């Protein structure tokens, strides 16, 4: 695994406008960064990233199966009691999932260490599935990278195939896709998914989360008063549980992507439960609930809110001292502690690998880097190749 400095395409910003990549720069800071790329061997991809991703995912699904059968664990996961039966039913019926992403620390030597599971609302989808592949095609066609180079990236193809599989389960239904207002990144992610769904022959419509209404029959509706019967929402389940319309999710005759059981797998309480079920697994880091006696065994650890996004409210501690403290709105539900395992550093950059799954199968990787050890919403995205 190497980080290789590389010239940027002179016209890439023009091409970004052409292809609708409007969030390559955010708040005046570069988000997409092609001044370098990461290089892997095929063995590193297959043995150290792809295979562990599949195994970790199955371990996470085993946690879901245990949690939905346990009131104690549902409570531990801070899931509101009115949703327990709905989540369990969603799992027992195996309501279909579309995609997810797990975050890994990996330096090329293995084994990769599992940080957390972004199973409900993972972003950086467009830049992974399309934009970094376009970068590789351009560099190969311009003779700057060998035609024998490849990329671990079947994400777009697998998303289209997955939508095609889901279409017969919702015949003649419109798929509404939703995200919050005032975020170019989320809007770009949802537009990309809509493009993939439409390529699979699915009729789609877009609605902002804030514009979803409730009819007199307690059905979700869009701004045109059309019933929403199939909804992809780039909006976390823990937020939806607490909305005024949360009580109407059950019996609403709406199917969701991602399904309700993702409330469990996207929850940071997953981490101590994984360590309890699979102690010593080479891809796991020791993790405990904050009030667990085992937490005293951690001399240096990361403190993570049970619900959090984009690195918010994460802190690093050692021997009673706070080394790093992140701000944010999360933490009232409680925290878990995970053993400290620093991200690999390439030059001045800490590097995190996001490993994607579609329909439970590994689908590709994305790479984010930052000058600090905690990956955040503005951490840069870099392409990769396999040689």
């Amino acid at each position: 695994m190497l980080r290789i400095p590389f010239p940027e395409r002179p016209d890439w910003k023009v091409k970004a406008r052409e292809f609708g990549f409007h969030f390559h720069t955010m708040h005046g800071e570069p988000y997409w960064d092609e001044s370098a790329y990461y290089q892997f061997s095929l063995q590193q991809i297959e043995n150290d990233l792809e295979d562990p991703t599949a195994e970790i995912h199955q371990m996470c699904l085993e946690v879901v199966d245990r949690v939905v059968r346990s009131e104690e664990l549902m409570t531990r996961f801070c899931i509101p009691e009115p949703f327990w039966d709905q989540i369990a039913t969603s799992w027992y019926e195996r309501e279909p999932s579309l995609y997810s992403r797990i975050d890994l620390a990996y330096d090329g030597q293995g084994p990769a260490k599992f940080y957390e599971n972004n199973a409900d609302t993972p972003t950086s989808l467009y830049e992974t599935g399309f934009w970094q592949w376009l970068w590789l095609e351009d560099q190969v066609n311009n003779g700057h990278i060998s035609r024998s180079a490849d990329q671990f990236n079947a994400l777009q193809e697998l998303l289209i195939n997955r939508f095609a599989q889901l279409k017969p389960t919702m015949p003649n239904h419109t798929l509404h896709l939703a995200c919050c207002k005032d975020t170019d990144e989320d809007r770009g992610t949802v537009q990309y998914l809509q493009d993939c769904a439409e390529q699979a022959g699915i009729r789609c419509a877009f609605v902002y989360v804030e514009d979803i209404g409730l009819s007199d029959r307690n059905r979700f509706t869009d701004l045109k008063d059309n019933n929403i019967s199939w909804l992809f929402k780039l909006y976390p389940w823990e937020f939806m549980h607490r909305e005024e319309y949360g009580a109407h999710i059950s019996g609403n005759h709406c199917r969701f992507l991602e399904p309700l059981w993702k409330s469990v797998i996207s929850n940071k309480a997953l981490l101590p439960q994984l360590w309890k079920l699979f102690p010593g697994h080479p891809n796991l880091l020791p993790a405990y609930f904050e009030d667990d006696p085992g937490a005293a065994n951690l001399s240096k650890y990361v403190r993570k809110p049970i619900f959090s996004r984009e690195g918010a409210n994460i802190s690093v501690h050692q021997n009673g001292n706070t080394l790093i403290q992140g701000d944010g709105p999360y933490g009232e539900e409680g925290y878990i502690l995970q053993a400290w395992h620093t991200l690999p550093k390439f030059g001045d950059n800490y590097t995190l690998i996001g490993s994607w799954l579609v329909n439970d199968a590994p689908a590709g990787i994305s790479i984010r880097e930052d000058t600090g050890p905690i990956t955040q919403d503005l951490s840069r995205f870099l392409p990769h190749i396999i040689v």
Side-chain angles (χ1 to χ4, degrees):
M1 180 180 176
L2 302 172
R3 186 185 190 275
I4 299 178
F6 203 68
E8 296 184 354
R9 294 167 293 171
D11 63 341
W12 76 262
K13 290 186 179 180
V14 174
K15 189 166 287 190
R17 286 196 298 271
E18 177 186 347
F19 285 98
F21 188 12
H22 301 303
F23 54 95
H24 59 74
T25 302
M26 293 191 286
H27 308 293
E29 297 293 330
Y31 170 62
W32 168 260
D33 183 356
E34 59 179 68
S35 64
Y37 66 81
Y38 282 84
Q39 177 178 297
F40 298 84
S41 70
L42 184 60
Q43 182 178 7
Q44 288 174 327
I45 292 292
E46 291 182 341
N47 296 344
D48 295 346
L49 297 175
E50 185 175 7
D51 288 348
T53 293
E55 183 176 358
I56 291 167
H57 180 66
Q58 291 302 316
M59 291 157 57
C60 291
L61 295 181
E62 184 166 337
V63 171
V64 177
D65 193 60
R66 290 174 180 253
V67 171
V68 299
R69 301 172 191 276
S70 167
E71 293 184 358
E72 178 185 357
L73 289 175
M74 283 288 208
T75 302
R76 267 299 207 182
F77 276 62
C78 298
I79 296 172
E81 186 173 352
F83 294 93
W84 289 359
D85 289 343
Q86 298 173 48
I87 292 170
T89 299
S90 172
W91 172 250
Y92 297 148
E93 293 181 354
R94 295 301 191 267
E95 289 187 345
S97 166
L98 178 63
Y99 75 129
S100 61
R101 189 193 78 232
I102 68 173
D103 287 343
L104 302 170
Y106 177 67
D107 62 2
Q109 302 300 315
K113 295 296 185 181
F114 176 59
Y115 270 17
E116 59 191 50
N117 197 333
N118 302 279
D120 185 17
T121 58
T123 52
S124 71
L125 191 68
Y126 169 86
E127 46 274 45
T128 302
F130 176 74
W131 187 253
Q132 70 166 342
W133 182 258
L134 183 64
W135 168 86
L136 178 59
E137 284 187 331
D138 285 348
Q139 300 293 12
V140 168
N141 291 337
N142 292 331
H144 299 149
I145 289 179
S146 170
R147 290 195 175 275
S148 63
D150 200 358
Q151 198 173 81
F152 181 31
N153 188 6
L155 188 56
Q156 180 165 300
E157 176 185 358
L158 292 176
L159 283 169
I160 295 170
N161 290 344
R162 182 56 172 158
F163 276 121
Q165 293 169 351
L166 295 175
K167 181 183 177 183
T169 68
M170 300 293 290
N172 303 318
H173 286 254
T174 296
L175 173 63
H176 281 77
L177 298 101
C179 69
C180 290
K181 297 178 179 178
D182 301 323
T183 164
D184 289 340
E185 182 184 6
D186 287 3
R187 185 67 185 95
T189 298
V190 169
Q191 182 61 59
Y192 177 63
L193 280 169
Q194 181 172 335
D195 293 343
C196 291
E198 288 175 343
Q199 288 187 60
I202 294 173
R203 184 174 62 248
C204 295
F206 176 78
V207 60
Y208 284 111
V209 168
E210 294 90 335
D211 292 333
I212 295 176
L214 202 65
S215 73
D216 53 7
R217 291 186 164 188
N218 293 327
R219 299 285 300 272
F220 290 141
T221 59
D222 62 18
L223 284 175
K224 298 179 180 179
D225 288 329
N226 297 313
N227 287 334
I228 299 174
S229 56
W230 191 17
L231 177 65
F232 172 88
K233 54 151 221 64
L234 198 67
Y235 191 62
W237 272 117
E238 65 264 23
F239 292 177
M240 291 191 73
H241 290 161
R242 290 160 174 79
E243 292 284 0
E244 289 184 11
Y245 56 70
H248 301 287
I249 290 173
S250 177
N252 193 275
H253 305 290
C254 182
R255 296 293 292 270
F256 295 94
L257 289 174
E258 293 297 305
L260 261 164
W261 60 262
K262 286 292 189 82
S263 305
V264 176
I265 202 173
S266 63
N267 188 309
K268 299 297 188 299
L270 171 79
L271 301 174
Q273 193 62 21
L274 275 172
W275 186 249
K276 181 178 180 179
L277 292 179
F278 307 99
H281 189 283
N283 295 116
L284 297 182
L285 295 168
Y288 304 92
F289 290 103
E290 194 167 35
D291 60 357
D292 190 314
N297 298 325
L298 301 177
S299 59
K300 188 174 184 180
Y301 58 87
V302 182
R303 187 173 182 251
K304 297 182 176 182
I306 286 177
F307 299 124
S308 71
R309 307 274 161 173
E310 304 285 5
N313 297 101
I314 288 177
S315 56
V316 180
H317 305 262
Q318 185 173 21
N319 298 325
N321 298 314
T322 301
L323 307 182
I324 301 172
Q325 178 67 60
D327 296 327
Y330 304 102
E332 64 177 284
E333 292 84 6
Y335 290 80
I336 64 95
L337 309 183
Q338 184 182 52
W340 170 258
H341 180 88
T342 187
L343 288 171
K345 198 172 184 183
F346 293 80
D348 295 328
N349 306 289
Y350 292 92
T351 303
L352 178 75
I353 294 177
S355 189
W356 293 84
L357 299 105
V358 176
N359 192 22
D360 300 327
I365 61 169
S366 52
I367 298 175
R368 305 283 300 277
E369 64 176 30
D370 203 292
T371 54
I374 297 177
T375 306
Q376 303 179 72
D377 57 344
L378 296 181
S379 298
R380 299 178 307 281
F381 187 110
L382 278 78
H384 76 278
I385 67 170
I386 305 171
V387 297

